[in-house]
Amino acid sequence: MADAPAGRDYRETVFLPDLPGDPFPLRAGLPKKEPERVKHWGEIGLYHLLRKDAAVRPKFVFHDGPPYANGAIHIGHAENKILKDLVVRSKQMAGFDCDYVPGWDCHGLPIEWKVEEDFRKAGRKKADVPAVEFRKACREYADKWIPLQRDEFRRLGIEADWGNYYTTMSFDAEAAIAAEFLRVVRAGLVYRGSKPVMWSPVERTSLAEAEVEYQEKTSPMIWVKFPLMQPTRLNEATEKFAKLQSAGHSSLSVVIWTTTPWTIPGNRAVSFSSAIKYGVYEVESIEQGLAFEPWVKAGDKLALADKLAEDVLRAAKAASWKRVSDFDPSGIVLTHPLRDWRPSPLAGEGREGGRSDAQAPAQLNAPHPPTPAPQGGGGVGYQFDVPLLDGDHVTDDAGTGFVHTAPSHGADDFVIWTKHFGQEGIPFTVDEEGKLTKEAPGFEGLEIIQLEGKNLGKDGPANKAVMDALIAAGALLARGQLKHSYPHSWRSKAPLIFRNTPQWFIALDREFRDGKTLRQIALDEIERVDWGQKRTGETKDQNRIKGMIQDRPDWLISRQRAWGVPLPIFVKKSDGSILQDDDVDARIIAAMKQGGADVWWATPAQDFLGAKYKAEDFEKVEDILDVWFDSGSTHAFVVGNPDAPTRSSFVNPVSTMYLEGSDQHRGWFHSSLLESCATRGRAPYDEVATHGFTMDEKGMKMSKSIGNTIEPQTIAAQNGIEILRLLIASAEYGDDLRLGKIMIDQSGEMYRKLRNTLRYCLGSLKGFEESERVFPAPAPQGGGGEELPLLERWLLHRLWQLDRVVRQAYDTYQFRAALSAIVEFCNVDLSAFYVDVRKDALYCDAATSFRRRASRTVLDETFSRLTAWLAPIMPFTTEEAWLTRFPDTLSVHLRQFPETPASWEDDFAGEEVARLREARSVVTGALEVARREKAIGAALEAAPRVFVVDDELRASLQAVDFAELCITSGIVIEAGEGPADAFRLPEVAGVAVVVEKASGVKCARSWKYFDPATADPRYPDITPRDAEAVAAWDAARG
RNA sequence: AGGCCCGUAGCUCAGUUGGUUAGAGCACACGCUUGAUAAGCGUGGGGUCGACAGUUCAAAUCUGUCCGGGCCUACCA
């Protein structure tokens, strides 16, 4: 077959999609362009334009959870802020006014540590720095980080009110937080209790867990007998005791084991586990030939865990024994081993029985619940019941199976005690120097740890004194020494103790509002709020927070630290009550607004108390609030409350949303919920969304020590942040997000596809003007009296479908659903089908061709929607594409998602094209075979014969230019099964294809094969269609 | 150690109330095109749905156990 004679080069007459100067190159250069764009948005004041534009729209309040103002941002921050940006931008474009006020959390220990370290380097101890000076340094430290983090967030493309952010340390915020706390006080929920904390006697301070390190230490270990309570009083134990007595067990003792003898005076209970089997063991004989006389005696009856009995009895130097019965500890009451002990006259002089009245805060020691009265006898203060409590923390791995429980001196001990008896009855046996107090009668003033001299940090006299007392009381069964891991101070390396200290709490189970407790209100609100059900259809986040609120203890809100908002209250020395006086409160809040929380330390108490009260009658609380109370209060001063919103855009919102990492179930979601329920009786949010954590490519957590971290700054510099945004948008962010080279590369590929699609639209729409449009945007058909081609009707139908999918996806925060629908549309519908088919018309038709105009009109609608739908995800690239096409507009981000006319819905076109594409797949399959056999190269070299069994389908194929759809130069549609060796696809029944080469000559312009006899004599080497186009082109050129 | 959650092709993900040979996009391989060209089109390979056991006529889907991973149990945010 001969080509037309070499003649004119028609290339210049073809409407190729290249753009002059290539303003939108495929190679995006994002790392360089993105920062310029950020700067530009700042310069045009985009955020304020958005606000102005949206002022009359319905309000959607997005409340930003504040990151901590410390350090550079990491990938977790990036994921968090980008997801927030996706919400804010998509809500904004969906027709809401979505004001995004970013914030920072500023108080707290991490900054306090840093600042403390700085002072230490300068040779000053924290204790020597005045509170106000120290706090000033903390404030400056936080202030230094905020602008740095802010600029990093902006680099991520986050559109927010960066010039007007909030912090928890602004004077207004500090005053607001204090005021919030006073509201909780007024609700009657704040009380003083106590809790054991890690305490360093050497440094006279409490420590956070992160300030603790574990080192080897040798401690004494003792086995102590707790005798059964004698049945002198009527209580639950009596009946049980009677049974034991009748079994001959009245002299039975329960044995505990401990490495801290000094905590025995603080003992208030013994814990056991109902999962452990216990027995009563009677000692039969004692080891002979010992250098000392063991304390254990033949005939002693001891209750022990069966698994540990032998170890204990051997330690006690028993030679033989027998197990006489089972032992069920539940409901039994013991007596304290020192009940009948009397100190030697020297040590115990003047201390009568009963409890000391020198308790740390006077009113703290409520009567001991199980035993209000001493039992008489000669003791000095240990005449109380020691109940046996069932606890999960008890194991039979070591010890005796019974655990000495001193609620002042251990976390487990405290928990099990408060679970049974609440805050009451917990003694303050140790003072801040680590000396035993009057509440440890007989041991007052004894040091647990030596505070001075050569032996600083070694055991003080307390342990020995207690052991001596136990021996004197006949309560010691055995003792020894144990080398074990023990908590020490990170700084001083001195050993630590658990010490009960007075603390402030918010009560969860106190009725206060319509007879409901804070816990009940919070649980009710959890039911009201959407915890992602709308997005995932699942209730797992709701279940998670519900479980936490159900199980949690009272909120411990006081901290013995410096960098925070104080608990701005005065306690009456006479009765321990909190002073509640509106005038006093108003003076405190007003002063804080003026001078920040510092005024609490800098101002004499009398100034706040005014004339009505005397400062000496009150204790001024100098603890600071848990920083979670700070961030839990942000809603009050950022979003405001119904009576006092902070901005007009926060009035009457359709919804208020919080979006944070799933760890915030116990953090911000949690504290905000409790705070707001305590002060307002409702949750501060209507919707809560959570996201998972960023992992490395293997799904392992990122850590600097492993070296598998990926920094957002690196991605921004190497790939462009848009790649990360795309990656996040395409992930199921409720789960953990994997991040590695493969995912980033994949995201880069997706980016190129989308960018190239936009680029192709830009090129194809070159010079497109309104006059060329075949219908006004909202109208589907008509235009020049010609009916829109099926292909264009179908594309509009697809846009209509996508519109619904995308809006629905954004509405429910399913970004990946929106993105994958768009990407699939770009790949499958646009690139592989529509554009591939329409290239011929777009390139080669005359400019006036209705087909070409229709295509360009529809592509214009496509471009309009793609740029809008993708704008939340790819703010940089959509802006670039939009401004390339419309350089006179301000920003793509001032647009909304375009309305898509309902009339674009066209089920006929949708189904018809689906059928045609199915038949087309048989043709392309056949062409592939022909190609492999080298019969053809390009599809245009073929003119297949298509055999169709079904009349209806055949009619459909004949109703359109099926060759055009298959991009072949010709096609023949025939009825019937076709030859046996024709190409068929198993999934497309009744269609067979025989590939034949196209006849005629190859058009020099459109490369189609055609019959040269039909050619326009002026242009013999091109098809008549091309001739028409070239004629028009030539005419326009003159 | 407990509480909660996750585990479908190399990657990101779909898989309605259990019901044909488990899908998509990307990546990969091969081919075509050279007028989207550091692009575009086509064809193809690839999964015992983390493992095991059970319920059922039937399990990716329901139950249990285990394995791997994550978050939370902090005077960390």
Side-chain angles (χ1 to χ4, degrees):
Chain A
M1 172 183 341
D3 281 358
R8 177 173 171 185
D9 180 2
Y10 291 100
R11 197 171 199 280
E12 62 175 354
T13 72
V14 177
F15 297 108
L16 295 179
D18 58 312
L19 290 163
D22 205 3
F24 194 81
L26 184 51
R27 203 179 168 79
L30 293 175
K32 184 163 169 287
K33 273 193 221 160
E34 285 169 351
E36 292 166 6
R37 187 71 64 187
V38 169
K39 189 159 167 270
H40 175 245
W41 284 328
E43 283 164 2
I44 64 171
L46 178 60
Y47 192 80
H48 299 288
L49 293 172
L50 282 165
R51 293 283 66 69
K52 206 174 136 196
D53 228 39
V56 298
R57 300 192 208 157
K59 317 297 178 192
F60 183 90
V61 174
F62 187 90
H63 182 30
D64 186 35
Y68 197 61
N70 179 19
I73 68 165
H74 55 65
I75 196 73
H77 289 113
E79 182 187 6
N80 176 259
K81 279 289 199 279
I82 287 171
L83 285 169
K84 288 170 171 173
D85 196 50
L86 294 178
V87 171
V88 170
R89 287 180 184 273
S90 60
K91 282 289 171 192
Q92 181 76 20
M93 293 187 79
F96 293 93
D97 178 20
C98 193
D99 193 358
Y100 181 10
V101 182
W104 275 272
D105 198 7
C106 302
H107 297 131
L109 208 46
I111 287 178
E112 195 164 330
W113 278 334
K114 294 271 188 195
V115 170
E116 201 180 321
E117 200 176 286
D118 291 347
F119 273 112
R120 214 173 26 251
K121 277 182 194 157
R124 295 177 72 187
K125 283 185 186 167
K126 184 179 179 182
D128 303 335
V129 182
V132 171
E133 184 187 348
F134 185 83
R135 292 168 51 85
K136 182 164 173 280
C138 291
R139 181 175 296 278
E140 283 165 0
Y141 185 89
D143 254 334
K144 188 184 74 185
W145 280 106
I146 290 170
L148 296 174
Q149 290 197 354
R150 180 194 59 199
D151 291 346
E152 291 183 307
F153 288 142
R154 296 188 73 163
R155 176 64 187 83
L156 304 177
I158 313 301
E159 194 59 36
D161 196 354
W162 295 113
N164 186 30
Y165 55 84
Y166 76 87
T167 74
T168 57
M169 69 174 184
S170 73
F171 291 174
D172 278 350
E174 289 186 332
I177 293 162
E180 286 296 302
F181 175 68
L182 290 171
R183 286 176 79 150
V184 183
V185 171
R186 287 305 168 92
L189 297 179
V190 175
Y191 71 92
R192 176 136 73 170
S194 67
K195 193 183 180 189
V197 297
M198 278 285 190
W199 188 272
S200 171
V202 171
E203 289 145 313
R204 301 177 57 154
T205 179
S206 62
L207 285 125
E209 187 67 31
E211 297 170 293
V212 173
E213 66 182 28
Y214 288 81
Q215 294 176 7
E216 289 287 297
K217 176 181 184 293
T218 302
S219 300
M221 55 178 175
I222 54 173
W223 287 262
V224 182
K225 295 188 288 184
F226 280 62
L228 281 178
M229 188 196 75
Q230 297 303 309
T232 51
R233 269 174 298 109
L234 291 172
N235 63 21
E236 191 201 338
T238 310
E239 195 186 336
K240 192 123 186 176
F241 182 84
K243 278 186 196 159
L244 288 164
Q245 191 174 37
S246 65
H249 292 342
S250 58
S251 62
L252 179 68
S253 289
V254 164
V255 180
I256 64 94
W257 175 84
T258 180
T259 58
T260 50
W262 61 267
T263 60
I264 292 292
N267 176 283
R268 290 299 181 273
V270 170
S271 301
F272 68 96
S273 167
S274 45
I276 295 175
K277 292 230 179 315
Y278 297 92
V280 174
Y281 291 81
E282 181 172 347
V283 176
E284 292 180 321
S285 62
I286 309 303
E287 275 187 40
Q288 299 302 303
L290 294 168
F292 57 92
E293 191 186 346
W295 293 297
V296 72
K297 299 281 178 286
D300 282 357
K301 286 182 179 169
L302 306 172
L304 295 162
D306 289 329
K307 195 180 151 197
L308 294 158
E310 180 172 350
D311 295 346
V312 175
L313 289 158
R314 287 199 188 287
K317 306 300 180 194
S320 63
W321 57 83
K322 65 178 178 193
R323 186 179 189 277
V324 293
S325 71
D326 289 345
F327 182 72
D328 171 13
S330 64
I332 288 183
V333 175
L334 310 171
T335 60
H336 195 280
L338 297 176
R339 183 187 63 166
D340 297 326
W341 168 74
R342 299 200 64 130
S344 66
L346 272 176
E349 192 61 55
R351 278 185 213 114
E352 290 304 311
R355 304 175 58 78
S356 164
D357 57 1
Q359 298 137 354
Q363 70 290 350
L364 281 181
N365 266 323
H368 190 288
T371 314
Q375 293 187 54
V380 296
Y382 299 99
Q383 285 81 0
F384 42 81
D385 291 358
V386 176
L388 273 157
L389 307 176
D390 192 350
D392 296 338
H393 64 290
V394 180
T395 67
D396 55 6
D397 296 339
T400 66
F402 293 103
V403 174
H404 156 56
T405 299
S408 308
H409 302 303
D412 289 334
D413 309 46
F414 178 79
V415 168
I416 192 169
W417 180 265
T418 50
K419 194 175 145 198
H420 284 86
F421 306 115
Q423 282 277 339
E424 295 184 357
I426 303 175
F428 291 86
T429 41
V430 176
D431 68 14
E432 60 179 19
E433 294 186 290
K435 290 179 181 165
L436 290 165
T437 68
K438 286 181 182 174
E439 290 192 60
F443 306 101
E444 186 186 344
L446 297 179
E447 286 175 356
I448 296 160
I449 287 164
Q450 297 199 31
L451 300 176
E452 291 168 357
K454 211 172 98 183
N455 289 325
L456 184 140
K458 298 273 193 271
D459 276 7
N463 271 344
K464 183 170 189 306
V466 172
M467 285 190 281
D468 288 347
L470 288 169
I471 293 165
L476 197 66
L477 181 67
R479 67 174 164 186
Q481 297 229 307
L482 181 72
K483 204 172 170 188
H484 62 152
S485 172
Y486 190 85
H488 289 70
S489 165
W490 210 359
R491 303 258 157 79
S492 69
K493 310 296 179 193
L496 305 176
I497 59 173
F498 263 107
R499 172 177 175 249
N500 194 32
T501 57
Q503 300 291 350
W504 293 92
F505 296 83
I506 293 176
L508 269 86
D509 297 310
R510 193 176 286 183
E511 294 180 0
F512 76 110
R513 188 185 274 263
D514 303 330
K516 282 180 161 181
T517 66
L518 180 53
R519 199 188 304 274
Q520 287 166 343
I521 294 171
L523 288 171
D524 288 348
E525 283 295 287
I526 286 169
E527 295 297 323
R528 179 184 68 80
V529 170
D530 183 298
W531 297 87
Q533 285 98 319
K534 201 166 88 173
R535 179 171 73 87
T536 62
E538 292 170 0
T539 56
K540 59 191 182 189
D541 281 340
Q542 185 175 54
N543 297 343
R544 186 168 175 184
I545 187 121
K546 193 195 285 179
M548 285 177 167
I549 296 289
Q550 267 165 354
D551 294 342
R552 66 157 297 149
D554 284 352
W555 188 357
L556 171 62
I557 48 167
S558 53
R559 299 288 132 91
Q560 288 73 54
R561 296 283 169 179
W563 179 224
V565 177
L567 285 75
I569 48 175
F570 293 96
V571 178
K572 266 183 217 157
K573 286 181 181 166
S574 56
D575 65 358
S577 67
I578 302 172
L579 173 67
Q580 295 190 35
D581 183 297
D582 289 344
D583 295 335
V584 175
D585 289 355
R587 278 193 286 272
I588 294 168
I589 301 306
M592 284 194 184
K593 273 186 185 161
Q594 194 68 34
D598 286 351
V599 298
W600 185 249
W601 289 272
T603 309
Q606 195 63 59
D607 290 8
F608 295 125
L609 289 168
K612 232 191 288 183
Y613 308 99
K614 278 197 231 157
E616 64 256 35
D617 294 338
F618 294 89
E619 174 200 351
K620 182 176 148 202
V621 175
E622 297 216 325
D623 294 347
I624 63 162
L625 280 164
D626 175 12
V627 287
W628 284 111
F629 192 90
D630 290 21
S631 56
S633 302
T634 54
H635 65 92
F637 58 89
V638 179
V639 178
N641 54 65
D643 2 302
T646 55
R647 294 192 181 200
S648 62
S649 46
F650 294 152
V651 181
N652 301 323
V654 294
S655 190
T656 300
M657 183 187 211
Y658 282 32
L659 189 166
E660 303 297 333
S662 59
D663 58 333
Q664 297 302 326
H665 281 105
R666 63 160 283 281
W668 196 49
F669 301 148
H670 193 119
S671 60
S672 298
L673 176 68
L674 290 182
E675 201 286 332
S676 184
C677 287
T679 54
R680 290 155 178 81
R682 55 159 285 152
Y685 38 68
D686 304 307
E687 299 179 68
V688 174
T690 64
H691 59 81
F693 280 64
T694 42
M695 301 295 141
D696 74 3
E697 59 267 288
K698 291 176 193 136
M700 309 290 273
K701 80 161 116 184
M702 290 189 180
S703 96
K704 278 181 188 159
S705 55
I706 300 173
N708 60 348
T709 55
I710 296 182
E711 305 306 324
Q713 297 84 352
T714 310
I715 299 176
Q718 291 180 355
N719 310 86
I721 215 67
E722 204 103 294
I723 305 301
L724 179 63
R725 294 182 64 106
L726 213 43
L727 191 154
I728 288 169
S730 64
E732 179 49 62
Y733 60 84
D735 298 339
D736 289 342
L737 176 74
R738 286 195 191 197
L739 211 51
K741 189 179 179 304
I742 295 171
M743 298 79 168
I744 292 171
D745 286 350
Q746 175 179 315
S747 182
E749 288 303 318
M750 191 192 296
Y751 175 80
R752 289 169 64 180
K753 184 71 201 185
L754 291 169
R755 183 175 178 91
N756 204 28
T757 303
L758 293 174
R759 180 163 179 263
Y760 191 81
C761 289
L762 285 170
S764 301
L765 289 166
K766 186 167 48 176
F768 182 77
E769 286 175 18
E770 286 305 305
S771 58
E772 189 179 335
R773 195 181 290 281
V774 297
F775 59 85
Q781 288 169 18
E786 279 192 71
E787 193 177 315
L788 209 56
L790 179 67
L791 220 44
E792 277 64 37
R793 286 172 60 186
W794 166 81
L795 191 57
L796 291 182
H797 176 66
R798 287 290 294 127
L799 288 175
W800 177 85
Q801 287 180 317
L802 260 184
D803 185 273
R804 299 182 66 182
V805 170
V806 169
R807 280 176 196 270
Q808 156 80 10
Y810 275 130
D811 183 51
T812 52
Y813 319 110
Q814 300 181 80
F815 309 116
R816 64 157 280 101
L819 182 59
S820 62
I822 293 167
V823 168
E824 200 162 323
F825 170 77
C826 289
N827 277 309
V828 179
D829 292 328
L830 268 189
S831 192
F833 180 62
Y834 180 82
V835 163
D836 212 31
V837 169
R838 270 291 177 258
K839 272 178 188 171
D840 176 65
L842 286 166
Y843 296 174
C844 298
D845 272 10
T848 52
S849 137
F850 181 77
R851 184 170 63 171
R852 183 166 186 276
R853 285 176 53 202
S855 180
R856 299 233 293 173
T857 304
V858 172
L859 281 175
D860 175 68
E861 299 292 351
T862 304
F863 179 79
S864 165
R865 279 163 186 75
L866 286 181
T867 47
W869 291 337
L870 289 170
I873 297 168
M874 310 200 307
F876 295 101
T877 300
T878 50
E879 183 78 312
E880 186 186 350
W882 184 255
L883 294 181
T884 298
R885 179 124 190 265
F886 304 107
D888 297 334
T889 59
L890 271 171
S891 170
V892 72
H893 301 296
L894 290 164
R895 300 174 61 210
Q896 297 186 49
F897 297 139
E899 288 300 325
T900 296
S903 59
W904 290 10
E905 182 183 11
D906 192 337
D907 290 337
F908 171 79
E911 285 162 25
E912 193 71 356
V913 169
R915 282 147 56 89
L916 292 171
R917 289 179 77 175
E918 209 174 50
R920 182 183 189 258
S921 70
V922 186
V923 175
T924 52
L927 292 175
E928 186 61 20
V929 173
R931 204 170 272 142
R932 196 154 296 148
E933 291 165 352
K934 304 290 179 196
I936 59 163
L940 282 175
E941 290 169 30
R945 293 169 67 197
V946 181
F947 299 88
V948 183
V949 174
D950 182 61
D951 293 339
E952 217 178 310
L953 178 60
R954 188 162 3 89
S956 293
L957 300 196
Q958 283 163 336
V960 296
D961 183 349
F962 195 52
E964 177 185 47
L965 290 187
C966 296
I967 321 181
T968 55
S969 286
I971 213 152
V972 182
I973 315 282
E974 297 178 47
E977 296 280 353
D981 62 346
F983 182 86
R984 292 177 177 81
L985 285 178
E987 61 268 29
V988 185
V991 179
V993 175
V994 175
V995 175
E996 295 190 357
K997 293 204 71 168
S999 59
V1001 298
K1002 183 177 176 182
C1003 168
R1005 185 165 178 268
S1006 66
W1007 302 339
K1008 279 185 183 173
Y1009 286 81
F1010 75 111
D1011 179 358
T1014 62
D1016 183 323
R1018 290 174 297 166
Y1019 308 99
D1021 55 348
I1022 59 177
T1023 71
R1025 183 276 311 258
D1026 289 278
E1028 194 187 326
V1030 174
W1033 193 84
D1034 287 345
R1037 283 295 185 97

